[in-house]
Amino acid sequence: MALIAFSGRIQITDANGSAVSGGKLRLFENNASTPVTTYSDAALSVPNPDPAVANAAGVITVFAASGVYRLALYDADDALLDGFPIDNVDFSGALQNNFAASAAPTTSNNASEGYSLGSRWIHSGTHYVLTSFTGTDANWETTDNSDVTLGSLNDANGNEMLVGTPTGSAVNHVGLTNAATGNAPDIAAVGDDANIDLQLSAKGTGKILIAPDLSLSKTLIQKLGADVASANDMTLGDGNAFDITGTTTINTIASKGVGTTVILQFDGALQLTHSADLVLPTAANITTAAGDIAVFYEYASGDWRCVSYQRADGSGLGSSGGLVFLASTELSSDASVDFTAFDSSTYDNYLFLFESVVPSNDGTVFAMRFKRSGQGSFDSGGSDYRYIGNTADSEINTLGGSGVGSAASEYGVSGSIWVHGAHDTSTFTRTTALLTYRNAGSAMTLDNNMCGEHEFLADIIEAQFFFATGNLESGRISMFGVVNS
């Protein structure tokens, strides 16, 4: 068994080297049964109980008047441990070691030089431990150093500097490597496993501090935390990178500590609300999309600044008054196509671009409708819309001339339609169109003054495009928003 004492700290271990939880210690006069008082402090002012009892790690603090004693160690049930009691134990309260010896130890390196049972000696890479005394002669044995049991390393005042906690059947440990001039000493995870993390843990809400600077020679991998459900007041867990699930609007993020940086990936559409506590680029709310990534920095407690926002499709956020791409649809024999990316918190005006939108039927009208907030379907009543040339209709005819041709050489309709005041409930939503197409007779037509109106004072949430007959055979329609100033 091993017994190592550092400045009054002793760890009691059994024959297998395992800590004896609740182990007990008694000290007697050498070669006698007369008890000797032990103390818990170097000043010998606070007596220990007799026997003195170790903690769960088998560690016990024991000081005694300088001298040589009989030492008895017991388990928690008062049974003597194998090999005890032993005599000639130099109990000076400090363990003498020689870790850079110029020669191997001899029997004369004994108690008179301050060495006691468990003292360590290292010479030319060979490790020695003092295992017993024969009279005054010290008996040193070579060791592979695996029998050293570290309970606590104390300073000269008896205060703890390093405390070891044993793990049953441990195979991994911390390695310390010193270095020559110009090189850095090394603290590393070593052991039987091929790949071992090195964990540094602060206590409670404390932090691991690195001074003065941190220079990485390998990759920094930030911890991926558990998925977080979106919430008005969202709390993040352990880690620095998170998947945000759900569609609930996020107004604030709970503090993780000033100076924290987090990376959020959104799994779907939700609103990030710009405020003094959640400062967003362009000073406007953001509607997320699946795959969007935001980086936030906690500038003050609970005060988060979005320092980067990357949309999954690579488009930009835009700025006040700028165009922001919202959606695009490739057409393929669709009866109609709906756009739902209306956002009253960020936009009032929208632009739709049309690229060679071809009808399946020849000579048909290209039209659009709106859906109001709170409505389950698009408005299609006979007087829900008006446009130039018609004061009451069930849709807005976006063309002033004849219908769009469907022949391969006619290429459908191209151009743009603006939607104005989509969320202004004090006035009607209006449209202006600039469209070009070939009619059923292949004649080139340009409609540049077609204006329409939705006859409701309402908040628009969707727009729909379709041909009066047949399908949207092919082409592309894209939607953009103008960021509110």
Coordinates of all heavy atoms in Angstrom, one line a residue, residues 434-485:
L434 N -45.5 47.3 -64.9 CA -44.7 47.5 -66.2 C -44.4 46.2 -66.8 O -43.4 45.5 -66.3 CB -43.4 48.3 -65.9 CG -42.5 48.6 -67.1 CD1 -43.2 49.4 -68.1 CD2 -41.2 49.3 -66.6
L435 N -45.1 45.8 -67.7 CA -45.0 44.4 -68.3 C -44.9 44.4 -69.8 O -45.6 45.3 -70.4 CB -46.2 43.6 -67.8 CG -46.4 43.4 -66.3 CD1 -47.8 42.7 -66.1 CD2 -45.3 42.6 -65.7
T436 N -44.2 43.5 -70.3 CA -44.1 43.3 -71.8 C -44.3 41.9 -72.1 O -44.0 41.0 -71.4 CB -42.7 43.8 -72.3 OG1 -42.7 43.6 -73.7 CG2 -41.6 43.0 -71.6
Y437 N -45.0 41.7 -73.3 CA -45.3 40.3 -73.7 C -45.7 40.3 -75.2 O -45.9 41.4 -75.8 CB -46.5 39.8 -72.9 CG -47.7 40.6 -73.0 CD1 -48.7 40.3 -73.9 CD2 -47.9 41.7 -72.2 CE1 -49.9 41.1 -74.0 CE2 -49.0 42.5 -72.3 CZ -50.0 42.2 -73.2 OH -51.2 42.9 -73.3
R438 N -45.8 39.2 -75.8 CA -46.4 39.1 -77.1 C -47.8 38.5 -77.0 O -48.0 37.6 -76.3 CB -45.5 38.1 -78.0 CG -44.1 38.7 -78.4 CD -43.4 37.7 -79.2 NE -42.0 38.2 -79.5 CZ -41.7 38.9 -80.6 NH1 -42.6 39.2 -81.5 NH2 -40.5 39.3 -80.8
N439 N -48.7 39.1 -77.7 CA -50.1 38.6 -77.6 C -50.3 37.4 -78.5 O -49.3 36.9 -79.1 CB -51.0 39.8 -78.0 CG -50.9 40.2 -79.5 OD1 -50.4 39.5 -80.3 ND2 -51.3 41.5 -79.7
A440 N -51.5 36.9 -78.6 CA -51.8 35.7 -79.3 C -51.4 35.8 -80.8 O -51.2 34.8 -81.4 CB -53.3 35.4 -79.2
G441 N -51.3 37.0 -81.3 CA -50.9 37.2 -82.7 C -49.4 37.5 -82.8 O -48.9 37.9 -83.9
S442 N -48.6 37.3 -81.7 CA -47.2 37.5 -81.6 C -46.7 38.9 -81.7 O -45.6 39.3 -81.9 CB -46.4 36.7 -82.7 OG -46.6 35.3 -82.5
A443 N -47.7 39.9 -81.6 CA -47.4 41.3 -81.6 C -46.8 41.7 -80.2 O -47.3 41.3 -79.2 CB -48.6 42.1 -81.9
M444 N -45.7 42.5 -80.3 CA -45.1 42.9 -79.0 C -46.0 44.0 -78.4 O -46.4 44.9 -79.0 CB -43.7 43.5 -79.3 CG -43.0 44.1 -78.1 SD -42.6 42.8 -76.9 CE -41.3 42.0 -77.8
T445 N -46.2 43.8 -77.1 CA -47.0 44.7 -76.3 C -46.3 45.2 -75.1 O -45.6 44.4 -74.4 CB -48.4 44.0 -75.9 OG1 -49.0 43.6 -77.1 CG2 -49.2 45.0 -75.1
L446 N -46.4 46.5 -74.7 CA -45.8 47.0 -73.5 C -46.9 47.7 -72.7 O -47.5 48.7 -73.2 CB -44.7 48.0 -73.8 CG -44.1 48.8 -72.6 CD1 -43.4 47.8 -71.6 CD2 -43.1 49.8 -73.0
D447 N -47.2 47.2 -71.5 CA -48.2 47.8 -70.7 C -47.4 48.6 -69.6 O -46.8 47.9 -68.7 CB -49.1 46.8 -70.0 CG -50.2 46.3 -71.0 OD1 -50.6 47.1 -71.9 OD2 -50.5 45.1 -71.0
N448 N -47.4 49.9 -69.6 CA -46.6 50.6 -68.6 C -47.5 51.5 -67.7 O -46.9 52.4 -67.1 CB -45.5 51.4 -69.3 CG -46.1 52.4 -70.3 OD1 -47.3 52.6 -70.4 ND2 -45.2 53.2 -71.0
N449 N -48.8 51.4 -67.8 CA -49.6 52.3 -67.0 C -50.8 51.5 -66.3 O -51.8 52.2 -66.0 CB -50.1 53.4 -67.9 CG -51.0 52.9 -69.0 OD1 -51.1 51.7 -69.2 ND2 -51.7 53.9 -69.6
M450 N -50.6 50.2 -66.2 CA -51.7 49.5 -65.6 C -51.7 49.6 -64.1 O -50.7 49.2 -63.4 CB -51.6 48.0 -66.0 CG -52.1 47.8 -67.4 SD -53.8 48.4 -67.7 CE -54.8 47.4 -66.5
C451 N -52.7 50.2 -63.5 CA -52.7 50.4 -62.1 C -53.9 49.7 -61.5 O -55.0 49.6 -62.1 CB -52.9 51.9 -61.7 SG -51.5 52.9 -62.4
G452 N -53.8 49.1 -60.3 CA -54.9 48.4 -59.7 C -55.1 48.8 -58.3 O -54.2 49.5 -57.7
E453 N -56.2 48.4 -57.7 CA -56.5 48.7 -56.3 C -57.3 47.6 -55.6 O -58.2 47.0 -56.2 CB -57.3 50.0 -56.3 CG -57.5 50.7 -55.0 CD -58.1 52.1 -55.2 OE1 -59.4 52.1 -55.4 OE2 -57.4 53.1 -55.2
H454 N -57.0 47.3 -54.4 CA -57.7 46.4 -53.6 C -58.6 47.2 -52.7 O -58.2 48.0 -51.9 CB -56.6 45.6 -52.7 CG -57.2 44.5 -51.9 ND1 -56.9 44.3 -50.5 CD2 -58.1 43.5 -52.1 CE1 -57.5 43.3 -50.0 NE2 -58.3 42.8 -51.0
E455 N -59.9 46.9 -52.8 CA -60.9 47.8 -52.2 C -61.2 47.5 -50.7 O -62.4 47.4 -50.3 CB -62.2 47.6 -53.0 CG -62.1 48.0 -54.5 CD -61.7 49.4 -54.7 OE1 -62.5 50.3 -54.4 OE2 -60.5 49.7 -55.0
F456 N -60.2 47.3 -49.9 CA -60.3 47.1 -48.5 C -59.2 47.9 -47.8 O -58.1 48.0 -48.2 CB -60.2 45.6 -48.1 CG -61.2 44.8 -48.7 CD1 -61.0 44.1 -49.9 CD2 -62.4 44.6 -48.0 CE1 -62.0 43.3 -50.4 CE2 -63.4 43.7 -48.5 CZ -63.2 43.1 -49.7
L457 N -59.6 48.5 -46.6 CA -58.6 49.1 -45.7 C -58.1 48.0 -44.8 O -58.6 47.7 -43.8 CB -59.2 50.2 -44.9 CG -59.9 51.3 -45.7 CD1 -60.5 52.3 -44.7 CD2 -58.8 52.1 -46.5
A458 N -57.0 47.3 -45.3 CA -56.6 46.0 -44.6 C -55.1 45.8 -44.7 O -54.4 46.4 -45.5 CB -57.4 44.9 -45.3
D459 N -54.7 44.9 -43.9 CA -53.3 44.4 -43.8 C -53.2 43.2 -44.7 O -53.9 42.2 -44.5 CB -52.9 44.1 -42.4 CG -51.5 43.5 -42.3 OD1 -50.7 43.8 -43.1 OD2 -51.3 42.8 -41.3
I460 N -52.3 43.3 -45.8 CA -52.2 42.2 -46.7 C -51.2 41.2 -46.2 O -50.1 41.6 -45.7 CB -51.7 42.8 -48.1 CG1 -52.7 43.7 -48.6 CG2 -51.4 41.6 -49.1 CD1 -54.1 43.2 -48.8
I461 N -51.5 39.9 -46.3 CA -50.6 38.9 -45.8 C -50.2 37.9 -46.9 O -49.2 37.2 -46.8 CB -51.2 38.0 -44.7 CG1 -52.5 37.4 -45.1 CG2 -51.4 38.9 -43.4 CD1 -53.1 36.4 -44.1
E462 N -50.9 37.9 -48.1 CA -50.4 37.0 -49.2 C -50.9 37.7 -50.5 O -51.8 38.5 -50.6 CB -51.1 35.7 -49.1 CG -50.6 34.8 -48.0 CD -51.1 33.4 -48.1 OE1 -51.2 32.8 -49.2 OE2 -51.5 32.8 -47.0
A463 N -50.1 37.3 -51.6 CA -50.5 37.7 -53.0 C -50.5 36.5 -53.8 O -49.7 35.6 -53.6 CB -49.5 38.8 -53.5
Q464 N -51.4 36.5 -54.8 CA -51.5 35.3 -55.7 C -51.5 35.8 -57.1 O -52.2 36.8 -57.5 CB -52.9 34.6 -55.4 CG -53.1 33.3 -56.2 CD -54.4 32.7 -55.9 OE1 -55.5 33.2 -56.3 NE2 -54.4 31.6 -55.1
F465 N -50.8 35.0 -58.0 CA -50.8 35.3 -59.4 C -51.3 34.1 -60.2 O -51.0 32.9 -59.8 CB -49.3 35.6 -59.9 CG -48.8 36.9 -59.2 CD1 -48.0 36.8 -58.0 CD2 -49.1 38.1 -59.8 CE1 -47.5 38.0 -57.4 CE2 -48.6 39.3 -59.2 CZ -47.8 39.2 -58.0
F466 N -52.0 34.4 -61.3 CA -52.6 33.3 -62.1 C -53.0 33.8 -63.5 O -53.1 35.1 -63.7 CB -53.8 32.7 -61.4 CG -54.9 33.7 -61.1 CD1 -56.0 33.9 -61.9 CD2 -54.8 34.5 -59.9 CE1 -56.9 34.8 -61.7 CE2 -55.8 35.4 -59.7 CZ -56.9 35.6 -60.5
F467 N -53.2 32.9 -64.4 CA -53.8 33.3 -65.7 C -55.3 33.0 -65.6 O -55.7 32.1 -65.0 CB -53.2 32.5 -66.8 CG -51.8 33.0 -67.2 CD1 -50.7 32.3 -67.0 CD2 -51.7 34.3 -67.9 CE1 -49.4 32.8 -67.3 CE2 -50.4 34.7 -68.3 CZ -49.3 34.0 -68.0
A468 N -56.1 33.8 -66.3 CA -57.5 33.7 -66.3 C -58.0 32.3 -66.7 O -59.0 31.8 -66.2 CB -58.2 34.8 -67.1
T469 N -57.3 31.7 -67.7 CA -57.6 30.4 -68.1 C -56.2 29.6 -68.2 O -55.2 30.2 -68.5 CB -58.3 30.3 -69.4 OG1 -57.4 30.9 -70.4 CG2 -59.6 31.1 -69.4
G470 N -56.3 28.3 -67.9 CA -55.1 27.5 -68.0 C -54.1 27.7 -66.8 O -54.4 28.4 -65.8
N471 N -52.9 27.2 -67.0 CA -51.9 27.2 -65.9 C -50.8 28.1 -66.2 O -50.6 28.6 -67.4 CB -51.3 25.8 -65.7 CG -52.3 24.8 -65.1 OD1 -53.3 25.2 -64.5 ND2 -52.1 23.5 -65.4
L472 N -50.0 28.4 -65.2 CA -48.7 29.0 -65.3 C -47.7 28.0 -65.8 O -47.2 27.1 -65.0 CB -48.2 29.6 -64.0 CG -49.2 30.7 -63.4 CD1 -49.0 30.8 -61.9 CD2 -48.9 32.0 -64.0
E473 N -47.4 27.9 -67.1 CA -46.7 26.8 -67.7 C -45.3 26.8 -67.3 O -44.7 25.7 -66.9 CB -46.8 26.8 -69.2 CG -46.3 25.6 -69.9 CD -47.2 24.4 -69.7 OE1 -48.4 24.5 -69.3 OE2 -46.7 23.3 -69.8
S474 N -44.6 27.9 -67.3 CA -43.2 28.0 -67.0 C -42.8 29.4 -66.7 O -43.6 30.4 -66.9 CB -42.3 27.5 -68.2 OG -42.5 28.2 -69.4
G475 N -41.5 29.6 -66.3 CA -41.0 30.9 -66.0 C -40.7 31.1 -64.5 O -40.7 30.1 -63.7
R476 N -40.4 32.3 -64.1 CA -40.0 32.5 -62.7 C -40.6 33.8 -62.2 O -40.7 34.8 -62.9 CB -38.5 32.6 -62.6 CG -38.0 32.9 -61.1 CD -36.5 33.2 -61.0 NE -35.7 32.1 -61.4 CZ -34.8 32.1 -62.5 NH1 -34.7 33.2 -63.2 NH2 -34.1 31.1 -62.8
I477 N -41.0 33.8 -60.9 CA -41.5 35.0 -60.2 C -40.7 35.2 -58.9 O -40.6 34.2 -58.2 CB -43.0 34.9 -59.9 CG1 -43.8 34.7 -61.2 CG2 -43.5 36.3 -59.3 CD1 -45.3 34.5 -60.9
S478 N -40.2 36.4 -58.7 CA -39.4 36.7 -57.5 C -40.1 37.8 -56.7 O -40.6 38.8 -57.3 CB -38.0 37.0 -57.8 OG -37.4 36.0 -58.6
M479 N -39.9 37.8 -55.4 CA -40.5 38.8 -54.5 C -39.4 39.5 -53.7 O -38.5 38.9 -53.2 CB -41.5 38.1 -53.6 CG -42.2 39.1 -52.6 SD -43.3 38.2 -51.5 CE -44.0 39.5 -50.5
F480 N -39.5 40.8 -53.6 CA -38.6 41.6 -52.9 C -39.4 42.6 -52.0 O -40.5 43.0 -52.3 CB -37.7 42.5 -53.8 CG -36.8 41.7 -54.7 CD1 -37.4 41.2 -55.9 CD2 -35.5 41.4 -54.4 CE1 -36.6 40.4 -56.8 CE2 -34.7 40.7 -55.3 CZ -35.2 40.2 -56.4
G481 N -38.8 42.9 -50.8 CA -39.4 43.9 -49.9 C -38.6 45.2 -49.9 O -37.3 45.1 -50.0
V482 N -39.2 46.3 -49.7 CA -38.5 47.5 -49.5 C -38.5 47.8 -48.0 O -39.5 48.0 -47.3 CB -39.1 48.7 -50.2 CG1 -38.4 50.0 -50.0 CG2 -39.3 48.4 -51.7
V483 N -37.3 47.8 -47.4 CA -37.1 48.0 -45.9 C -37.7 49.4 -45.5 O -37.3 50.4 -46.2 CB -35.7 47.9 -45.5 CG1 -35.5 48.1 -44.0 CG2 -35.1 46.5 -45.8
N484 N -38.5 49.4 -44.5 CA -39.1 50.7 -44.0 C -38.0 51.6 -43.6 O -37.0 51.2 -42.9 CB -40.0 50.4 -42.9 CG -41.2 49.6 -43.3 OD1 -41.6 49.7 -44.4 ND2 -41.8 48.9 -42.3
S485 N -38.1 52.9 -43.9 CA -37.2 53.9 -43.5 C -37.4 54.3 -42.0 O -38.5 54.0 -41.5 CB -37.2 55.1 -44.4 OG -38.5 55.7 -44.4

